[in-house]
Amino acid sequence: MIKKISHIAIVVPNLEDALGFWVNTLGLPLSHVEHVPDQDVDVAFMPSGDSEIELLEPISAESGVARFLHKRGPGIHHICFEVDDIEQMLKRIKDAGVPLINEEPTIGTGGKKIAFVHPKGTGGVLVELYELTPEESARRLERLEDMRRRLREGRRIYAAGIRAFLTRLRPQSGFNTGNGSDSQN
Amino acid sequence: MIKKISHIAIVVPNLEDALGFWVNTLGLPLSHVEHVPDQDVDVAFMPSGDSEIELLEPISAESGVARFLHKRGPGIHHICFEVDDIEQMLKRIKDAGVPLINEEPTIGTGGKKIAFVHPKGTGGVLVELYELTPEESARRLERLEDMRRRLREGRRIYAAGIRAFLTRLRPQSGFNTGNGSDSQN
């Protein structure tokens, strides 16, 4: 069963520039950033109601997200639904003849299970399914720590907004990227 | 202030076929259908958490949605955020130098206010803002009645699923479009 829309993922060429619109202008809170090595992307999450907006910046040219950006330009990449039982949902989708990108869920850090449905079977929409585990918040903190390590070790240069986020513990509101607007207003 | 994601709109060539996936296969409930004359589309809403998936089928070749479908193919069309004060939000967006499609909100039936932000200023995402009024549920019922009238008068032929929806009072769950799956499972 689908519980809710977990997030809507948007591909951007530069996370920091994009946060200027979503956080500073629209006023969404930045709740989390992380580096996802499997997909070679840096991501930022902004909660809205009981869902989140997820921004994805590809940090290598070879990833699927980078190819999407090159081919289609920036914009919405996928919708993710949280489900209570991902195996049951995948069986149901397969039985209906809808093609899956992942016939079995991928097991991520903390036991989180994810799978993608092929856009060919959904009318052009890339649909992700997500079964959360109680370990998710611990996983997010761990990933955040990893991103901070990359910053400290100089392995990736982050601009003002993300650096400010990474050097604070748990910021819940916006920041100023120096583009003249301020989400604290 | 943004309250939540109101809906994610998906353009489809045929509403009935699309409901086969979203309602029958994924199991989302079909809560409402209506015809929107301003945009010349038939729409269907499926709640998920505190947001909705909205399917849009253009019913003339000239509408903006029809041109989107022709140019980009089926897929996600826009994200709509519910806001508490649309005029204030539009001012904030304009002050940040982000171009608006509607500088003033459009007033819809029931006093509902909507406006679109130009994708040029959002990183390729068409963003709709929506300020609800208490009259929205009455407005939806009125639109539903209008769609039923079109069905009775033979002005538009609907296939099995939507016809079943229109001839029942307030169905909350799925239906069978005859594609072999059944959302009642």
Coordinates of all heavy atoms in Angstrom, one line a residue, chain B residues 99-175:
Chain B
P99 N 11.0 35.4 -12.7 CA 9.9 35.7 -13.5 C 8.6 34.9 -13.2 O 8.6 33.7 -13.0 CB 10.4 35.4 -15.0 CG 11.5 34.4 -14.8 CD 12.1 34.7 -13.4
L100 N 7.5 35.6 -13.3 CA 6.2 35.0 -13.0 C 5.4 34.9 -14.3 O 5.4 35.8 -15.2 CB 5.4 35.9 -12.1 CG 5.9 36.0 -10.6 CD1 5.3 37.1 -9.9 CD2 5.7 34.6 -9.9
I101 N 4.6 33.8 -14.5 CA 3.7 33.7 -15.6 C 2.4 34.6 -15.3 O 1.9 35.3 -16.1 CB 3.3 32.2 -15.9 CG1 4.5 31.5 -16.4 CG2 2.1 32.2 -16.9 CD1 4.3 30.0 -16.6
N102 N 2.0 34.5 -14.0 CA 0.9 35.3 -13.6 C 1.3 36.3 -12.5 O 1.6 35.8 -11.4 CB -0.3 34.5 -13.0 CG -0.7 33.4 -14.0 OD1 -0.3 32.2 -13.7 ND2 -1.4 33.7 -15.0
E103 N 1.4 37.6 -12.8 CA 1.9 38.5 -11.8 C 0.8 38.7 -10.8 O 1.0 39.1 -9.6 CB 2.3 39.8 -12.4 CG 3.5 39.7 -13.4 CD 4.6 40.7 -13.2 OE1 4.3 41.7 -12.6 OE2 5.7 40.5 -13.8
E104 N -0.5 38.6 -11.2 CA -1.6 38.6 -10.3 C -2.3 37.3 -10.3 O -2.3 36.6 -11.4 CB -2.6 39.7 -10.8 CG -2.1 41.1 -10.9 CD -1.8 41.7 -9.5 OE1 -2.5 41.3 -8.6 OE2 -0.9 42.5 -9.4
P105 N -2.8 36.8 -9.2 CA -3.4 35.5 -9.2 C -4.7 35.5 -10.0 O -5.4 36.5 -10.1 CB -3.8 35.2 -7.7 CG -3.6 36.5 -7.0 CD -2.7 37.4 -7.8
T106 N -5.0 34.4 -10.7 CA -6.2 34.1 -11.4 C -7.2 33.7 -10.4 O -7.0 32.9 -9.5 CB -6.0 33.0 -12.4 OG1 -4.9 33.3 -13.2 CG2 -7.3 32.7 -13.2
I107 N -8.4 34.3 -10.4 CA -9.5 33.9 -9.5 C -10.4 32.9 -10.2 O -11.0 33.2 -11.2 CB -10.3 35.2 -9.1 CG1 -9.4 36.4 -8.7 CG2 -11.3 34.8 -7.9 CD1 -8.6 36.1 -7.4
G108 N -10.4 31.7 -9.6 CA -11.2 30.6 -10.2 C -12.5 30.6 -9.5 O -12.8 31.3 -8.6
T109 N -13.3 29.6 -9.9 CA -14.7 29.4 -9.3 C -14.5 29.2 -7.8 O -13.5 28.5 -7.4 CB -15.3 28.1 -9.9 OG1 -14.9 28.0 -11.3 CG2 -16.8 28.1 -9.8
G110 N -15.4 29.7 -7.0 CA -15.3 29.5 -5.6 C -14.3 30.4 -4.9 O -14.0 30.3 -3.7
G111 N -13.7 31.4 -5.7 CA -12.7 32.3 -5.1 C -11.3 31.8 -5.0 O -10.4 32.5 -4.5
K112 N -11.1 30.6 -5.4 CA -9.7 30.0 -5.4 C -8.7 30.8 -6.2 O -9.1 31.3 -7.2 CB -9.8 28.6 -6.0 CG -8.5 27.8 -6.1 CD -8.8 26.6 -7.0 CE -9.2 26.9 -8.4 NZ -9.1 25.8 -9.3
K113 N -7.5 31.0 -5.6 CA -6.5 31.9 -6.3 C -5.4 31.0 -6.8 O -4.8 30.3 -6.0 CB -6.0 33.0 -5.4 CG -7.1 33.9 -4.9 CD -6.5 34.9 -3.9 CE -7.5 35.8 -3.3 NZ -6.9 36.7 -2.3
I114 N -5.0 31.2 -8.0 CA -3.8 30.4 -8.5 C -2.9 31.3 -9.4 O -3.3 32.3 -9.9 CB -4.2 29.2 -9.4 CG1 -5.0 29.6 -10.7 CG2 -5.1 28.2 -8.6 CD1 -5.1 28.5 -11.7
A115 N -1.6 31.0 -9.4 CA -0.6 31.7 -10.2 C 0.5 30.7 -10.5 O 0.8 29.8 -9.7 CB -0.1 32.9 -9.5
F116 N 1.1 30.9 -11.7 CA 2.3 30.1 -12.1 C 3.6 30.9 -12.1 O 3.6 32.1 -12.5 CB 2.0 29.5 -13.4 CG 1.1 28.3 -13.5 CD1 -0.3 28.5 -13.7 CD2 1.5 27.0 -13.3 CE1 -1.2 27.4 -13.7 CE2 0.7 26.0 -13.3 CZ -0.7 26.2 -13.5
V117 N 4.6 30.3 -11.6 CA 6.0 30.8 -11.6 C 6.6 30.3 -12.9 O 6.5 29.1 -13.2 CB 6.8 30.4 -10.4 CG1 8.2 31.1 -10.4 CG2 6.0 30.7 -9.1
H118 N 7.4 31.1 -13.6 CA 8.0 30.7 -14.9 C 9.1 29.7 -14.6 O 10.0 30.0 -13.8 CB 8.5 31.9 -15.7 CG 8.6 31.6 -17.1 ND1 9.6 30.8 -17.6 CD2 7.9 32.0 -18.2 CE1 9.5 30.7 -18.9 NE2 8.4 31.4 -19.3
P119 N 9.2 28.6 -15.4 CA 10.3 27.6 -15.2 C 11.7 28.2 -15.4 O 12.6 27.7 -14.9 CB 10.0 26.5 -16.2 CG 8.7 26.9 -16.9 CD 8.2 28.2 -16.4
K120 N 11.8 29.3 -16.2 CA 13.1 30.0 -16.4 C 13.7 30.4 -15.0 O 14.9 30.4 -14.9 CB 12.9 31.2 -17.2 CG 13.0 31.0 -18.7 CD 13.2 32.3 -19.5 CE 11.9 33.1 -19.5 NZ 11.9 34.2 -20.5
G121 N 12.8 30.7 -14.0 CA 13.4 31.2 -12.8 C 13.5 30.1 -11.7 O 13.9 30.4 -10.5
T122 N 13.1 28.9 -12.0 CA 13.0 27.9 -10.9 C 13.9 26.7 -11.3 O 13.9 25.7 -10.6 CB 11.6 27.3 -10.8 OG1 11.3 26.6 -12.1 CG2 10.5 28.4 -10.6
G123 N 14.7 26.8 -12.3 CA 15.5 25.7 -12.7 C 14.7 24.6 -13.5 O 14.9 23.4 -13.2
G124 N 13.8 25.1 -14.4 CA 13.2 24.1 -15.3 C 11.9 23.5 -14.7 O 11.3 22.6 -15.3
V125 N 11.4 24.0 -13.5 CA 10.2 23.4 -12.9 C 9.1 24.4 -13.0 O 9.2 25.5 -12.6 CB 10.5 23.0 -11.5 CG1 9.2 22.4 -10.9 CG2 11.7 22.0 -11.3
L126 N 8.0 23.9 -13.6 CA 6.8 24.8 -13.6 C 6.1 24.7 -12.2 O 5.7 23.6 -11.8 CB 5.8 24.3 -14.7 CG 4.5 25.2 -14.8 CD1 4.8 26.6 -15.1 CD2 3.6 24.6 -15.9
V127 N 6.1 25.8 -11.5 CA 5.6 25.8 -10.1 C 4.3 26.6 -10.1 O 4.2 27.7 -10.6 CB 6.6 26.5 -9.2 CG1 6.0 26.7 -7.8 CG2 7.9 25.6 -9.1
E128 N 3.2 25.9 -9.6 CA 1.9 26.6 -9.4 C 1.8 26.9 -7.9 O 2.2 26.1 -7.0 CB 0.8 25.6 -9.8 CG -0.6 26.2 -9.7 CD -1.7 25.3 -10.1 OE1 -1.4 24.1 -10.3 OE2 -2.9 25.7 -10.3
L129 N 1.2 28.0 -7.6 CA 0.8 28.4 -6.3 C -0.7 28.5 -6.2 O -1.4 28.9 -7.1 CB 1.4 29.8 -5.9 CG 2.9 29.9 -6.1 CD1 3.4 31.3 -5.9 CD2 3.7 29.0 -5.1
Y130 N -1.2 28.1 -5.0 CA -2.6 27.8 -4.9 C -3.0 28.3 -3.5 O -2.4 27.9 -2.5 CB -2.7 26.3 -5.0 CG -4.0 25.7 -5.3 CD1 -4.3 25.2 -6.5 CD2 -5.0 25.5 -4.3 CE1 -5.6 24.6 -6.8 CE2 -6.2 24.9 -4.5 CZ -6.5 24.5 -5.8 OH -7.7 23.9 -6.1
E131 N -4.0 29.2 -3.5 CA -4.5 29.6 -2.2 C -6.0 29.1 -2.1 O -6.8 29.6 -2.9 CB -4.4 31.1 -1.9 CG -4.9 31.5 -0.5 CD -4.9 33.0 -0.3 OE1 -4.1 33.7 -0.9 OE2 -5.8 33.5 0.4
L132 N -6.2 28.1 -1.3 CA -7.5 27.5 -1.2 C -8.5 28.4 -0.5 O -8.2 29.2 0.3 CB -7.4 26.2 -0.4 CG -7.2 24.9 -1.1 CD1 -7.2 23.8 -0.1 CD2 -8.2 24.7 -2.2
T133 N -9.8 28.2 -0.8 CA -10.8 28.9 -0.1 C -11.8 27.8 0.5 O -11.8 26.7 0.0 CB -11.7 29.8 -1.0 OG1 -12.2 29.0 -2.1 CG2 -10.8 30.9 -1.7
P134 N -12.6 28.2 1.5 CA -13.5 27.2 2.1 C -14.5 26.7 1.1 O -15.1 25.6 1.3 CB -14.2 28.0 3.2 CG -13.4 29.2 3.4 CD -12.7 29.5 2.2
E135 N -14.6 27.4 0.0 CA -15.6 27.0 -1.0 C -15.1 25.9 -1.9 O -15.9 25.4 -2.8 CB -16.0 28.2 -1.9 CG -16.8 29.3 -1.2 CD -15.9 30.2 -0.3 OE1 -14.7 30.1 -0.5 OE2 -16.5 30.9 0.5
E136 N -13.9 25.4 -1.8 CA -13.3 24.5 -2.7 C -14.1 23.2 -2.8 O -14.3 22.7 -4.0 CB -11.8 24.2 -2.4 CG -11.1 23.2 -3.3 CD -11.0 23.6 -4.8 OE1 -11.3 24.8 -5.1 OE2 -10.7 22.7 -5.6
S137 N -14.5 22.6 -1.7 CA -15.2 21.3 -1.8 C -16.6 21.5 -2.6 O -17.0 20.7 -3.4 CB -15.4 20.7 -0.5 OG -16.1 21.6 0.4
A138 N -17.2 22.7 -2.4 CA -18.5 22.9 -3.1 C -18.2 23.1 -4.6 O -18.9 22.6 -5.4 CB -19.1 24.2 -2.5
R139 N -17.1 23.8 -4.9 CA -16.7 24.0 -6.3 C -16.4 22.6 -7.0 O -16.8 22.4 -8.1 CB -15.4 24.8 -6.3 CG -15.0 25.3 -7.7 CD -13.5 25.7 -7.7 NE -12.6 24.6 -7.5 CZ -12.3 23.7 -8.5 NH1 -12.8 23.9 -9.7 NH2 -11.6 22.7 -8.2
R140 N -15.7 21.7 -6.2 CA -15.4 20.4 -6.8 C -16.7 19.6 -7.2 O -16.8 19.0 -8.2 CB -14.6 19.6 -5.9 CG -13.1 20.0 -5.9 CD -12.2 19.0 -5.4 NE -10.8 19.2 -5.7 CZ -9.8 18.4 -5.5 NH1 -10.0 17.2 -4.9 NH2 -8.6 18.7 -5.8
L141 N -17.7 19.7 -6.2 CA -19.0 19.0 -6.5 C -19.7 19.6 -7.7 O -20.2 18.9 -8.5 CB -19.9 19.1 -5.2 CG -19.6 18.1 -4.1 CD1 -20.5 18.3 -3.0 CD2 -19.7 16.6 -4.7
E142 N -19.6 20.9 -7.8 CA -20.2 21.6 -8.9 C -19.6 21.1 -10.3 O -20.3 20.8 -11.2 CB -20.0 23.1 -8.7 CG -20.8 24.0 -9.6 CD -20.4 25.5 -9.3 OE1 -20.6 25.9 -8.2 OE2 -19.8 26.1 -10.2
R143 N -18.3 21.1 -10.3 CA -17.5 20.7 -11.5 C -17.8 19.2 -11.8 O -17.9 18.8 -13.0 CB -16.0 20.8 -11.3 CG -15.6 22.3 -11.4 CD -15.7 22.8 -12.8 NE -15.4 24.2 -12.9 CZ -14.2 24.7 -13.1 NH1 -13.2 23.9 -13.4 NH2 -14.0 26.0 -13.2
L144 N -18.0 18.4 -10.8 CA -18.3 17.0 -11.0 C -19.7 16.9 -11.7 O -19.9 16.1 -12.6 CB -18.3 16.3 -9.6 CG -18.4 14.8 -9.6 CD1 -17.3 14.2 -10.4 CD2 -18.3 14.3 -8.1
E145 N -20.6 17.7 -11.2 CA -22.0 17.7 -11.7 C -22.0 18.1 -13.2 O -22.7 17.5 -14.0 CB -22.9 18.7 -10.9 CG -24.4 18.4 -11.0 CD -24.7 16.9 -11.1 OE1 -24.4 16.1 -10.2 OE2 -25.2 16.5 -12.2
D146 N -21.1 19.1 -13.5 CA -20.9 19.6 -14.9 C -20.4 18.4 -15.8 O -20.9 18.2 -16.9 CB -20.0 20.7 -14.9 CG -19.7 21.2 -16.3 OD1 -20.6 21.7 -16.9 OD2 -18.5 21.2 -16.7
M147 N -19.5 17.6 -15.2 CA -18.9 16.5 -16.0 C -20.0 15.4 -16.2 O -20.1 14.8 -17.3 CB -17.7 16.0 -15.3 CG -16.7 15.4 -16.2 SD -15.1 15.2 -15.4 CE -14.2 14.3 -16.6
R148 N -20.8 15.2 -15.2 CA -21.9 14.2 -15.3 C -22.9 14.7 -16.4 O -23.4 13.9 -17.1 CB -22.6 14.1 -14.0 CG -21.9 13.3 -13.0 CD -22.7 13.1 -11.7 NE -21.9 12.3 -10.8 CZ -21.7 12.5 -9.5 NH1 -22.3 13.6 -8.9 NH2 -21.0 11.8 -8.7
R149 N -23.1 16.0 -16.4 CA -24.1 16.5 -17.4 C -23.5 16.3 -18.8 O -24.3 15.9 -19.7 CB -24.2 18.0 -17.2 CG -25.6 18.6 -17.6 CD -25.9 20.0 -17.0 NE -24.8 20.7 -16.6 CZ -24.5 21.2 -15.4 NH1 -25.4 21.0 -14.4 NH2 -23.4 21.9 -15.2
R150 N -22.2 16.5 -19.0 CA -21.6 16.2 -20.3 C -21.8 14.8 -20.7 O -22.0 14.5 -21.9 CB -20.1 16.6 -20.3 CG -19.9 18.1 -20.1 CD -18.5 18.4 -19.6 NE -17.5 18.1 -20.7 CZ -17.1 18.9 -21.6 NH1 -17.6 20.1 -21.6 NH2 -16.2 18.6 -22.5
L151 N -21.7 13.9 -19.7 CA -21.8 12.5 -20.0 C -23.3 12.2 -20.4 O -23.5 11.5 -21.4 CB -21.5 11.7 -18.7 CG -21.7 10.1 -18.8 CD1 -20.7 9.5 -19.8 CD2 -21.5 9.5 -17.4
R152 N -24.3 12.7 -19.6 CA -25.7 12.4 -19.9 C -26.1 13.0 -21.2 O -26.9 12.3 -22.0 CB -26.6 13.1 -18.8 CG -26.7 12.3 -17.5 CD -27.8 12.8 -16.6 NE -27.8 14.2 -16.4 CZ -27.2 14.8 -15.3 NH1 -26.6 14.0 -14.4 NH2 -27.2 16.1 -15.1
E153 N -25.6 14.1 -21.6 CA -26.0 14.8 -22.8 C -25.2 14.3 -24.0 O -25.3 14.8 -25.1 CB -25.8 16.3 -22.7 CG -26.8 16.9 -21.7 CD -26.5 18.4 -21.3 OE1 -25.6 19.0 -22.0 OE2 -27.2 18.9 -20.5
G154 N -24.3 13.3 -23.8 CA -23.5 12.7 -24.8 C -22.5 13.6 -25.5 O -22.0 13.4 -26.6
R155 N -22.1 14.7 -24.7 CA -21.1 15.7 -25.2 C -19.7 15.1 -25.1 O -18.8 15.7 -25.7 CB -21.3 17.0 -24.6 CG -22.5 17.8 -25.1 CD -22.5 19.2 -24.5 NE -22.8 19.3 -23.1 CZ -22.3 20.1 -22.3 NH1 -21.4 21.0 -22.7 NH2 -22.7 20.2 -21.0
R156 N -19.5 14.1 -24.3 CA -18.2 13.5 -24.3 C -18.4 12.1 -23.8 O -19.2 11.8 -23.0 CB -17.3 14.3 -23.3 CG -15.9 13.7 -23.2 CD -14.8 14.7 -22.9 NE -13.6 14.2 -22.4 CZ -12.6 13.6 -23.1 NH1 -12.7 13.5 -24.4 NH2 -11.6 13.1 -22.5
I157 N -17.7 11.2 -24.5 CA -17.8 9.8 -24.2 C -16.7 9.4 -23.2 O -15.5 9.7 -23.5 CB -17.6 8.9 -25.5 CG1 -18.5 9.4 -26.6 CG2 -17.8 7.4 -25.2 CD1 -20.0 9.3 -26.3
Y158 N -17.0 8.9 -22.0 CA -16.0 8.5 -21.1 C -16.0 6.9 -21.1 O -17.0 6.3 -21.2 CB -16.3 9.0 -19.7 CG -16.3 10.5 -19.6 CD1 -17.5 11.2 -19.6 CD2 -15.1 11.2 -19.6 CE1 -17.5 12.6 -19.5 CE2 -15.1 12.6 -19.5 CZ -16.3 13.3 -19.5 OH -16.2 14.6 -19.4
A159 N -14.8 6.4 -20.9 CA -14.7 4.9 -20.9 C -15.1 4.4 -19.5 O -15.5 5.2 -18.6 CB -13.3 4.5 -21.2
A160 N -15.0 3.1 -19.3 CA -15.6 2.4 -18.1 C -15.3 3.1 -16.8 O -16.2 3.3 -16.0 CB -15.1 1.0 -18.1
G161 N -14.0 3.3 -16.5 CA -13.6 3.7 -15.1 C -14.2 5.1 -14.8 O -14.8 5.2 -13.7
I162 N -14.1 6.1 -15.6 CA -14.6 7.4 -15.3 C -16.1 7.4 -15.3 O -16.7 8.1 -14.5 CB -14.0 8.4 -16.3 CG1 -12.5 8.5 -16.1 CG2 -14.6 9.8 -16.1 CD1 -11.7 9.4 -17.0
R163 N -16.7 6.7 -16.3 CA -18.1 6.6 -16.3 C -18.7 6.0 -15.0 O -19.6 6.5 -14.4 CB -18.6 5.8 -17.5 CG -20.0 6.1 -18.0 CD -20.3 5.6 -19.3 NE -20.1 4.1 -19.3 CZ -19.3 3.5 -20.2 NH1 -18.7 4.2 -21.2 NH2 -19.2 2.2 -20.2
A164 N -18.0 5.0 -14.5 CA -18.4 4.4 -13.2 C -18.3 5.4 -12.1 O -19.2 5.5 -11.3 CB -17.5 3.2 -12.9
F165 N -17.2 6.2 -12.1 CA -17.0 7.2 -11.1 C -18.1 8.2 -11.2 O -18.7 8.6 -10.2 CB -15.6 7.9 -11.3 CG -15.3 8.9 -10.2 CD1 -14.7 8.5 -9.1 CD2 -15.7 10.2 -10.4 CE1 -14.5 9.5 -8.1 CE2 -15.4 11.2 -9.4 CZ -14.8 10.8 -8.2
L166 N -18.4 8.7 -12.4 CA -19.4 9.7 -12.6 C -20.8 9.3 -12.2 O -21.7 10.1 -11.8 CB -19.4 10.3 -14.0 CG -18.2 11.1 -14.4 CD1 -18.2 11.4 -15.9 CD2 -18.1 12.4 -13.6
T167 N -21.1 8.0 -12.3 CA -22.4 7.6 -12.1 C -22.6 7.1 -10.6 O -23.7 6.8 -10.2 CB -22.9 6.5 -13.0 OG1 -21.8 5.5 -13.0 CG2 -23.0 7.0 -14.4
R168 N -21.5 7.1 -9.8 CA -21.6 6.8 -8.4 C -21.6 8.2 -7.7 O -21.1 9.2 -8.3 CB -20.5 5.9 -7.9 CG -20.8 4.4 -8.1 CD -19.7 3.6 -7.6 NE -18.6 3.6 -8.6 CZ -17.4 3.1 -8.3 NH1 -17.1 2.7 -7.1 NH2 -16.4 3.1 -9.2
L169 N -21.9 8.2 -6.4 CA -22.0 9.5 -5.7 C -20.6 10.0 -5.3 O -20.1 11.0 -5.7 CB -22.9 9.5 -4.6 CG -23.1 10.9 -3.9 CD1 -23.7 11.9 -5.0 CD2 -24.0 10.9 -2.7
R170 N -19.9 9.2 -4.4 CA -18.6 9.6 -3.9 C -17.7 8.4 -3.7 O -17.4 8.0 -2.6 CB -18.8 10.2 -2.5 CG -19.1 11.7 -2.6 CD -19.4 12.2 -1.2 NE -19.5 13.6 -1.1 CZ -18.5 14.4 -1.0 NH1 -17.3 14.0 -0.9 NH2 -18.6 15.7 -0.9
P171 N -17.3 7.8 -4.8 CA -16.4 6.6 -4.7 C -15.1 7.0 -4.1 O -14.6 8.1 -4.5 CB -16.3 6.1 -6.1 CG -16.6 7.2 -7.0 CD -17.5 8.2 -6.2
Q172 N -14.5 6.2 -3.2 CA -13.2 6.6 -2.6 C -12.1 5.6 -3.0 O -11.0 5.9 -2.9 CB -13.3 6.6 -1.1 CG -14.1 7.8 -0.6 CD -13.4 9.2 -1.0 OE1 -12.2 9.3 -0.9 NE2 -14.2 10.2 -1.4
S173 N -12.5 4.5 -3.6 CA -11.5 3.5 -3.9 C -11.4 3.3 -5.4 O -12.1 4.0 -6.2 CB -11.7 2.3 -3.2 OG -12.8 1.6 -3.7
G174 N -10.6 2.3 -5.8 CA -10.4 2.1 -7.2 C -11.5 1.5 -8.0 O -12.6 1.3 -7.5
F175 N -11.3 1.1 -9.2 CA -12.3 0.5 -10.1 C -11.5 -0.4 -11.0 O -10.3 -0.4 -11.1 CB -13.1 1.5 -10.8 CG -12.2 2.4 -11.7 CD1 -11.8 2.0 -12.9 CD2 -11.7 3.6 -11.1 CE1 -10.9 2.8 -13.6 CE2 -10.9 4.4 -11.9 CZ -10.5 4.0 -13.1

